């Protein structure tokens, strides 16, 4: 670690930008790793480097058809970086899934061979396990048989496929599409085993910059590092990351150790400033990470002290009321009335948000479908988008008597109003008005109709074209999937839920609910943050705040993993806690629901994370 005592101003990290630029001032280029904690301005450094590289290499690269590649963690981060570099075609800025697909999608014959073998291997394994089952009628065997049937059907279907497709942001449900994990695994295999693809990579992208490198898929990170070792004179990698912010298990946990063992063609440097958080928050996150890696940040001289408070409550308390009380207490503590309504709540899991915002009956069945997980979280699931992007705006516009918006939506999505026959158009408008009145009757006298009820009126009145899957489930118009298919079963449950859950879900995915997950806010920042911790509402086992705060004991597996230097739920939870707390710019309130409030208080005071006056049991 650097000796920070020689610095005394807010620009003490300026040397980092100069050091990483120096990697490209002469050939062969060096590779680098910038180790940077929360709020250190690594995106600013990344963009500054891109603009400087444009001055150095832009014209030459464009003449030769080369690009500088940037891999970021989210589509939002891609959009922000593209905006900052003025959408210059010199830069290829994408998520890891998009980047890999753009590299491999021309290898269609190889993709077919690879995916065929993958399915055959999976089938062989499933059939072998099924042959050893003592009871083919138990739930495990039935589920395994369902997987065997689906894999067999897919294997048979792909024999005639000439071109596979993939959408990095979609559910990829068609028979000719690949799923997210297949693209990543295939990308790793192709990069390591196909010399031509390696050449394409280094010739097309001589410089590859990776943001949030600690959470980039492990197998792909290892492939990139291996190629850099093989072609160090032609291929440079620049990594920006913070191992304390590694919150997913599929990242490369030993990334820093591996880079430390690299040769002199790698630069390793670090940023020690936190430009985001007030002094008290920086002090807290420094204490959270001190026994993990020792990295400590400095807050800006022009930052206020800020406020941190920890509120501890019994897990069986009324939680919504408790959080209202906490918000009011923060108004009194800070003197800032923005705490009445304008702050961000960070919860542990999407399930918790769905439960709090009352759309869990809609969310949970769909989230259980593996291929839907990405699309349901970013709002791109086609069938849900029909409800959220067409039906909901149409109903809202009609209720608010915004006829201009109603006509706009109907003109775009109604089959009737696309009729070119002018004489029929007037008749259709009259019919559509009557149909819309029937639809709105569903909400009369405060009623909350089911999604099926809404769909039935739309179908009977022919108001909109309904996605085929919804027609199959609701009206059995064309059955293409088996009755027990998980997708059919999920949608049968969803169509029973009240339509109000569509609106609640829509507000959540659009960021209008005031709720986000601890994981989902990485890279974001807010003036006021309430971190809500409630293990009892979490469905997963990857994190345990009750263990972190001393309420539950470590398991034998935890102790064994600690001795062997492996990751544990406590280490993962501490990193997640660091990420959540470090989102706050000015004020931070932490609400913990627990089995034993007094133990939590004793633990946090003993480790020195909080002062006595900052902790309150409700």
């Amino acid at each position: 670690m650097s000796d920070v005592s020689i610095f005394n101003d807010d620009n003490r990290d300026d040397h980092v930008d100069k050091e990483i630029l120096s990697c490209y001032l002469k050939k062969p280029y060096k590779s680098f790793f910038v180790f940077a904690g929360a709020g250190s301005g690594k995106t600013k450094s990344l963009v500054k480097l891109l603009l400087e590289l444009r001055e150095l290499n832009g014209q030459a690269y464009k003449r030769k058809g080369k690009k500088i590649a940037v891999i970021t963690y989210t589509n939002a981060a891609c959009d922000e970086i593209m905006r900052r570099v003025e959408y210059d075609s010199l830069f290829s800025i994408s998520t890891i899934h998009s980047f890999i697909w753009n590299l491999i999608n021309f290898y269609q014959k190889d993709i077919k061979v690879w995916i065929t073998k993958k399915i055959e291997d999976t089938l062989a394994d499933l059939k072998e396990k099924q042959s050893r089952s003592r009871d083919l009628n138990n739930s495990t065997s039935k589920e395994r048989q369902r997987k065997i049937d689906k894999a067999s059907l897919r294997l048979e279907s792909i024999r005639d496929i000439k071109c596979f497709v993939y959408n990095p942001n979609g559910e990829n449900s068609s028979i000719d599409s690949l799923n997210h994990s297949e693209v990543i695994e295939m990308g790793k295999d192709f990069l390591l085993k196909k010399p031509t693809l390696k050449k394409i990579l280094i010739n097309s992208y001589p410089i590859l910059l990776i943001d949030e490198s600690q959470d980039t898929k492990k197998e792909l990170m290892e492939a990139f590092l291996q190629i850099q070792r093989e072609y160090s004179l032609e291929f440079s990698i620049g990594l920006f990351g913070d191992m304390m912010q590694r919150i997913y298990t599929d990242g490369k946990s030993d990334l820093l150790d591996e880079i430390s063992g690299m040769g002199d063609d790698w630069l390793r440097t670090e940023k020690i400033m936190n430009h985001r958080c007030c002094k008290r928050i920086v002090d807290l996150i420094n204490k959270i990470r001190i026994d993990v890696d020792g990295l400590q940040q400095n807050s800006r001289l022009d930052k206020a002290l800020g406020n941190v408070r920890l509120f501890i409550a019994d897990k069986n308390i009324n939680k919504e009321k408790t959080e209202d009380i906490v918000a009011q207490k923060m108004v009194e503590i800070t003197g800032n009335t923005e705490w009445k309504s304008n702050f961000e709540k960070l919860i542990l899991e999407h399930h918790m948000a769905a439960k709090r915002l009352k759309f869990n009956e809609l969310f949970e069945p769909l989230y259980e479908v593996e291929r839907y997980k990405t699309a349901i979280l970013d709002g791109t699931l086609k069938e849900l988008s029909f409800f959220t992007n067409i039906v909901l705006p149409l109903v809202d516009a009609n209720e608010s008597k915004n006829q201009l918006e109603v006509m706009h939506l109907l003109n775009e999505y109604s089959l009737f109003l696309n009729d070119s026959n002018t004489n029929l158009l007037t008749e259709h408008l009259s019919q559509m008005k009557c149909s819309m009145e029937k639809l709105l009757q569903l909400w009369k006298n405060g009623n909350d109709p089911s999604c099926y009820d809404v769909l039935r009126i739309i179908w009977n009145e022919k108001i909109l074209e309904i996605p085929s899957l919804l027609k199959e489930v609701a009206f059995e118009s064309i059955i293409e999937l088996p009755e027990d298919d998980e997708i059919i079963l999920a949608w049968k449950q969803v169509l029973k839920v009240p339509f109000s859950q569509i609106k609640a879900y829509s507000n959540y995915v659009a960021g209008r609910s005031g709720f986000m997950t601890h994981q989902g806010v990485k890279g974001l920042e807010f003036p006021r943050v309430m971190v809500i911790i409630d293990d009892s509402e979490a469905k997963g086992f990857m994190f345990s705040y009750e263990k972190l705060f001393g309420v539950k004991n470590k398991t034998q597996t935890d102790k064994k993993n600690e001795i062997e230097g492996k990751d544990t739920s406590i280490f993962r939870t501490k990193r997640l806690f660091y990420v959540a707390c470090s989102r706050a710019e000015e004020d931070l309130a932490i609400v913990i629901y627990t089995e034993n409030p007094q133990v939590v208080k004793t633990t946090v005071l003993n480790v020195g994370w909080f002062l006595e006056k900052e902790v309150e049991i409700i």
Side-chain angles (χ1 to χ4, degrees):
M1 296 293 172
S2 304
D3 181 5
V4 302
S5 62
I6 63 174
F7 300 109
N8 60 7
D9 62 76
D10 294 337
N11 301 316
R12 66 190 71 208
D13 287 338
D14 285 0
H15 67 97
V16 174
D17 293 344
K18 296 175 183 176
E19 287 171 3
I20 59 178
L21 177 61
S22 71
C23 293
Y24 302 100
L25 296 179
K26 62 178 182 179
K27 291 187 175 181
Y29 296 155
K30 278 191 172 185
S31 295
F32 68 82
F33 181 88
V34 174
F35 195 76
S40 60
K42 56 186 174 63
T43 302
K44 181 179 178 181
S45 291
L46 171 58
V47 170
K48 184 178 180 182
L49 177 61
L50 292 175
L51 297 176
E52 288 169 330
L53 288 174
R54 179 167 66 184
E55 292 298 315
L56 287 173
N57 301 320
Q59 293 303 317
Y61 273 28
K62 286 183 177 180
R63 282 196 304 270
K64 296 176 182 178
K66 299 178 183 292
K67 290 177 179 283
I68 296 170
V70 180
I71 294 173
T72 68
Y73 203 77
T74 65
N75 288 318
C78 289
D79 294 341
E80 176 61 18
I81 294 172
M82 284 192 286
R83 184 187 66 80
R84 293 200 204 181
V85 297
E86 302 164 325
Y87 304 95
D88 195 318
S89 61
L90 170 67
F91 307 113
S92 172
I93 302 169
S94 61
T95 61
I96 187 66
H97 289 85
S98 295
F99 184 77
I100 292 302
W101 179 242
N102 287 337
L103 277 178
I104 69 173
N105 76 84
F106 298 106
Y107 286 80
Q108 287 292 332
K109 290 183 178 179
D110 298 277
I111 289 173
K112 188 168 188 174
V113 171
W114 189 95
I115 199 68
T116 298
K117 186 176 187 309
K118 175 76 173 177
I119 298 172
E120 288 174 343
D121 290 347
T122 299
L123 265 175
D125 180 61
L126 288 169
K127 289 178 177 178
E128 193 273 331
K129 289 178 179 176
Q130 194 75 326
S131 69
R132 291 187 280 109
S133 175
R134 295 181 179 180
D135 181 8
L136 294 177
N137 290 315
N138 64 34
S139 58
T140 301
S141 295
K142 285 183 176 180
E143 174 63 17
R144 190 184 297 121
Q145 186 59 50
R146 190 184 68 79
K147 290 179 180 179
I148 290 172
D149 294 340
K150 290 188 72 173
S152 299
L153 178 63
R154 190 181 184 202
L155 184 62
E156 184 64 31
S157 299
I158 66 173
R159 300 190 193 281
D160 297 324
I161 293 175
K162 297 292 189 290
C163 183
F164 290 86
V165 297
Y166 170 68
N167 179 358
N169 303 312
E171 69 265 28
N172 297 293
S173 57
S174 61
I175 200 68
D176 59 347
S177 63
L178 304 169
N179 65 43
H180 303 300
S181 60
E182 287 169 347
V183 167
I184 292 298
E185 189 177 351
M186 193 184 307
K188 180 262 297 183
D189 285 351
F190 285 12
L191 281 170
L192 291 178
K193 297 174 183 178
K194 295 185 179 299
T196 303
L197 186 59
K198 292 182 185 180
K199 284 292 186 181
I200 290 174
L201 171 65
I202 63 178
N203 287 332
S204 301
Y205 310 105
I207 299 172
L208 172 62
L209 306 177
I210 304 178
D211 195 14
E212 302 288 3
S213 56
Q214 75 280 351
D215 272 328
T216 300
K217 300 289 185 179
K218 175 183 177 181
E219 53 267 49
L220 287 174
M221 183 60 73
E222 290 175 344
F224 290 142
L225 292 175
Q226 177 61 36
I227 293 170
Q228 192 278 330
R229 281 191 288 265
E230 293 177 18
Y231 298 92
S232 59
L233 299 180
E234 306 165 69
F235 182 56
S236 164
I237 297 177
L239 306 179
F240 295 82
D242 175 13
M243 300 310 291
M244 190 65 186
Q245 296 187 69
R246 184 175 66 86
I247 55 178
Y248 295 103
T249 57
D250 52 5
K252 187 168 172 57
S253 60
D254 60 346
L255 178 61
L256 193 58
D257 291 337
E258 184 163 340
I259 290 171
S260 298
M262 299 284 198
D264 293 336
D265 59 337
W266 273 82
L267 165 74
R268 289 163 291 279
T269 187
E270 68 185 43
K271 305 187 78 171
I272 62 171
M273 283 298 299
N274 183 314
H275 299 281
R276 173 190 301 150
C277 307
C278 284
K279 293 179 172 61
R280 178 62 188 96
I281 298 170
V282 173
D283 179 57
L284 172 63
I285 62 177
N286 279 342
K287 289 176 179 177
I288 293 172
R289 78 179 297 164
I290 185 66
D291 62 346
V292 177
D293 57 16
L295 181 67
Q296 299 289 277
Q297 291 183 302
N298 289 55
S299 58
R300 291 182 60 87
L301 298 175
D302 56 3
K303 283 287 187 180
L305 178 61
N307 296 280
V308 169
R309 290 294 187 275
L310 175 64
F311 300 91
I312 311 171
D314 186 274
K315 68 177 185 178
N316 297 314
I317 201 170
N318 183 314
K319 292 166 186 175
E320 290 186 17
K321 184 177 179 181
T322 299
E323 287 150 30
D324 289 341
I325 292 172
V326 167
Q328 181 56 41
K329 286 179 177 289
M330 291 302 292
V331 171
E332 297 165 4
I333 291 166
T334 65
N336 189 344
T337 57
E338 293 288 336
W339 270 103
K340 290 183 177 180
S341 60
N342 187 17
F343 61 92
E344 200 70 25
K345 286 186 177 182
L346 308 187
I347 41 81
L348 185 56
E349 289 185 343
H350 297 287
H351 294 282
M352 294 168 67
K355 188 173 181 180
R356 295 290 183 91
L357 297 171
K358 298 179 173 56
F359 64 90
N360 52 303
E361 294 171 307
L362 168 78
F363 177 83
E364 291 180 2
L366 296 176
Y367 197 66
E368 291 298 314
V369 180
E370 186 64 32
R371 70 174 64 169
Y372 280 177
K373 286 187 184 297
T374 299
I376 194 176
L377 295 180
D378 61 21
T380 59
L381 186 60
K382 181 176 66 175
E383 290 77 18
L384 265 185
S385 295
F386 170 74
F387 284 114
T388 59
N389 297 344
I390 303 175
V391 180
L392 180 60
L394 184 62
V395 171
D396 285 348
N398 211 17
E399 283 188 330
S400 61
K401 303 189 185 309
N402 185 347
Q403 292 306 308
L404 190 64
E405 179 64 13
V406 170
M407 290 308 302
H408 169 74
L409 290 164
L410 291 176
N411 279 329
E412 185 168 357
Y413 299 110
S414 170
L415 295 178
F416 279 127
L417 299 191
N418 288 329
D419 198 317
S420 59
N421 189 322
T422 307
N423 294 326
L424 289 176
L425 183 58
T426 302
E427 180 183 335
H428 288 162
L429 281 170
S430 177
Q431 180 182 337
M432 188 59 67
K433 183 179 178 181
C434 294
S435 297
M436 288 301 300
E437 288 175 356
K438 288 182 181 180
L439 182 62
L440 284 183
Q441 282 293 313
L442 292 173
W443 284 269
K444 191 175 181 180
N445 298 324
N447 287 335
D448 189 4
S450 70
C451 292
Y452 173 79
D453 291 336
V454 174
L455 207 61
R456 178 174 50 81
I457 295 292
I458 292 172
W459 168 260
N460 290 341
E461 297 296 318
K462 299 180 173 58
I463 298 173
L464 301 166
E465 177 60 31
I466 298 173
S468 58
L469 177 58
L470 293 180
K471 286 191 287 189
E472 291 171 15
V473 176
F475 313 115
E476 299 184 350
S477 57
I478 307 171
I479 299 297
E480 295 178 351
L481 298 172
E483 179 68 20
D484 64 343
D485 187 275
E486 60 178 342
I487 292 175
I488 293 289
L489 293 176
W491 278 108
K492 281 187 174 181
Q493 293 180 64
V494 168
L495 291 183
K496 295 176 184 177
V497 308
F499 190 79
S500 58
Q501 295 198 21
I502 292 288
K503 190 163 191 172
Y505 162 77
S506 178
N507 287 334
Y508 179 63
V509 296
R512 296 188 296 264
S513 67
F515 280 85
M516 298 186 77
T517 63
H518 294 194
Q519 298 99 319
V521 294
K522 190 169 64 170
L524 302 179
E525 55 191 35
F526 311 94
R528 292 158 298 282
V529 170
M530 182 186 291
V531 176
I532 299 171
I533 294 171
D534 188 359
D535 280 358
S536 67
E537 286 190 359
K539 288 202 167 187
F541 57 87
M542 299 298 294
F543 306 102
S544 175
Y545 278 101
E546 293 284 64
K547 288 182 185 177
L548 178 65
F549 294 119
V551 176
K552 291 185 177 179
N553 296 323
K554 298 176 183 178
T555 64
Q556 290 301 316
T557 301
D558 290 328
K559 295 175 182 177
K560 180 174 180 292
N561 287 338
E562 281 186 12
I563 293 172
E564 296 175 356
K566 296 179 180 178
D567 211 9
T568 69
S569 61
I570 296 176
F571 291 155
R572 286 191 294 271
T573 307
K574 184 178 286 189
R575 294 196 300 269
L576 188 63
F577 190 47
Y578 174 92
V579 169
C581 291
S582 61
R583 301 308 99 192
E585 298 172 291
E586 300 170 10
D587 299 319
L588 172 66
I590 302 162
V591 183
I592 299 179
Y593 300 106
T594 176
E595 293 179 0
N596 196 325
Q598 189 58 53
V599 169
V600 173
K601 181 176 181 178
T602 301
T603 300
V604 299
L605 292 178
N606 286 343
V607 296
W609 288 0
F610 301 90
L611 302 175
E612 177 84 35
K613 67 177 184 179
E614 294 175 329
V615 182
E616 179 179 346
I617 294 178
I618 298 180

